[in-house]
Amino acid sequence: MNDSSLVKPHTRQRVLEAVKSLGYIPNKTAQVFKTGRSRILGLVISTQHISELVYNAGFQARFKALTVKTHNEGYNILIISSTDANCDSYFEVIKNQVADGFIILSPSANESLTSLLEEAGIPYVFNMKYSTNPEDIYYVSSDDIEGGYMAAKYLLDLNHTDIRFIVGVVKGSLMPFNVDRLNGFKRALNEYSIEFKEEMIVGIPGQMEESYNLIHQLFQSHWPTALMISNETTTVAALNYFHDHGIRVPQDVSLIGFGPSEFFRNLRPNLTNVSYDITWSSDKLVDLLLQRIEGKMVTPEWPKKPELIIRDSTMRNFRP
Amino acid sequence: MNDSSLVKPHTRQRVLEAVKSLGYIPNKTAQVFKTGRSRILGLVISTQHISELVYNAGFQARFKALTVKTHNEGYNILIISSTDANCDSYFEVIKNQVADGFIILSPSANESLTSLLEEAGIPYVFNMKYSTNPEDIYYVSSDDIEGGYMAAKYLLDLNHTDIRFIVGVVKGSLMPFNVDRLNGFKRALNEYSIEFKEEMIVGIPGQMEESYNLIHQLFQSHWPTALMISNETTTVAALNYFHDHGIRVPQDVSLIGFGPSEFFRNLRPNLTNVSYDITWSSDKLVDLLLQRIEGKMVTPEWPKKPELIIRDSTMRNFRP
DNA sequence: CTGTTAGCGCGTTCAT
DNA sequence: ATGAACGCGCTAACAG
């Protein structure tokens, strides 16, 4: 049944016939037990993350890319949702799953989780760098510093100086990739000798309603000439707010989004955006995990630079 | 370790200490093998379906609802993607997975798949009715006839008679739920003594680009006063087309969507839509499957009626 | 309450 | 080229 080359075609034929007539189905569980390989990869996500799925185009794109790649490699994905954002609880959940390895989409991974996984000998990868320890190499990051830089530089070139950078905030602190984007933003300001002010950064929770309200508050108190928005849901909320209040994009305010280009192309107006190659990074992530699991060779690569897609939501600033 | 009530607290304490000091982790695979229960539910999806994930709000909502419900019941979801649309291949994929049961999101299930699963004793449920055999009871449907009816009736009450019903077409044929919606549509026409014409039905593939182009063709040849659109992607494509060509909603054309209310609330204009309770039906679906797996009692219920959410994309027709 | 043991269904090895 | 036997790590049943 397992295509062994030691079996005569005739014998195989007879076996297969018996299988068919008896309706025999091999016990997959016993196979997994015996071989120690389930060909399942665990995808660890917080339940909160799943709840924000609608309109979170970045997650959708990553989910799709991971599923397709995993399928092509002969694996399946097990969705492992953890209610608790506490990272130690992640380990409890992870070790209780049947999987050959784990992809951890964690906004808040930490070093104790890493060491627990390492000690237990469980193969894992993270979708972003979360620690400063140079020995932590099991992640595929994107070049977020460059992303923040290129968006800001483009706006500065268009004569915008009154910019607001809207970033998602989880439990009062910035996600690591947002810290990077922010640093890129600051670097661009610095190059153009524009002083960075704290008020340029606007922290916003990722949900639609709250985003809408906070955009409202922002524009009540001060109307910037340009906006960079670090997550898709808030970008949609902002567009809706502008639509509802007759604020024209880009005439009254320029707007740059971050995320999958396809998503922004289907908005109106078409949005200028910083686009990351999520398919690429997802593929690399799975390759990295399979390397740990099956010793598959992987050529290490630098994070791919994001791309600035210029469309219809940005224009030159003429305000003083 | 398994919280047996037969063990003295003191002994348990000692065991737990040993576990900790040795770093012992139970072999989940062996547990699954021995007990025959993995607490995994397989979610069977075609790869094409996954590819259309972005903007497919109905799928996102169902995925989220299923994941949350499953998690609450102490199970995890295994994503099983099948490349082939051929249903016999589904069985091959399904029987090769470690799972206690399967949720099949198939647009094209058939009766041979059912009988294969039945014979093999594999617990399964479908997310929609796909056959006319009254013995096939393992599905949770929604009341799509009513959905089509209430949308059409609402438009007819608003004096619209020149209506187009845009429905997704897969491989040249309508999905079963679209057949139902269409029948509801016809029933409403009949009640108002409006003659049904074939041209009222416009078949469209679900993707964004094609939808956009077909909407364009439709409006080039004939401009109806109202549109009912059976899938979300096409709805977004239509809104984008109207935006790009200065067609006002609802002044120039009324529009009714089908799908999760939340999705349509975040569009501009806010869309009148027929809303199904996907959380409810997903919960019921998981309950039904768990009933088959663990003999859990389930009270059978009628499909829940959809709700017509009236918002800003529909108005009275004044054209003759 | 605690310690011992059979056996789940495979893949693998070894003898024929 | 084929058949027989072993054992993976755990749970459950049973003896003590």
Side-chain angles (χ1 to χ4, degrees), chain B residues 150-193:
Chain B
M150 63 206 303
K153 177 174 159 47
Y154 180 66
L155 289 174
L156 290 162
D157 281 336
L158 289 177
N159 198 33
H160 290 276
T161 53
D162 188 2
I163 305 172
R164 289 291 176 276
F165 191 10
I166 298 180
V167 289
V169 165
V170 177
K171 288 192 235 157
S173 65
L174 294 179
M175 313 267 285
F177 68 88
N178 273 331
V179 173
D180 281 354
R181 288 180 187 173
L182 189 50
N183 283 332
F185 175 73
K186 286 177 181 170
R187 178 151 68 86
L189 287 181
N190 192 43
E191 272 182 22
Y192 284 68
S193 306

Side-chain angles (χ1 to χ4, degrees), chain A residues 9 27-28 30 37 45 49-51 65 110-111 122 133 141 158 221 223 231 233 257 261 283 309:
Chain A
N27 182 320
K28 189 70 189 175
R37 301 285 310 281
I45 328 173
H49 209 143
I50 289 177
S51 298
N110 61 30
E111 287 164 50
I122 298 174
N133 183 348
S141 70
L158 289 177
S221 66
W223 189 321
N231 81 65
T233 308
S261 170
D283 284 1
I309 314 271

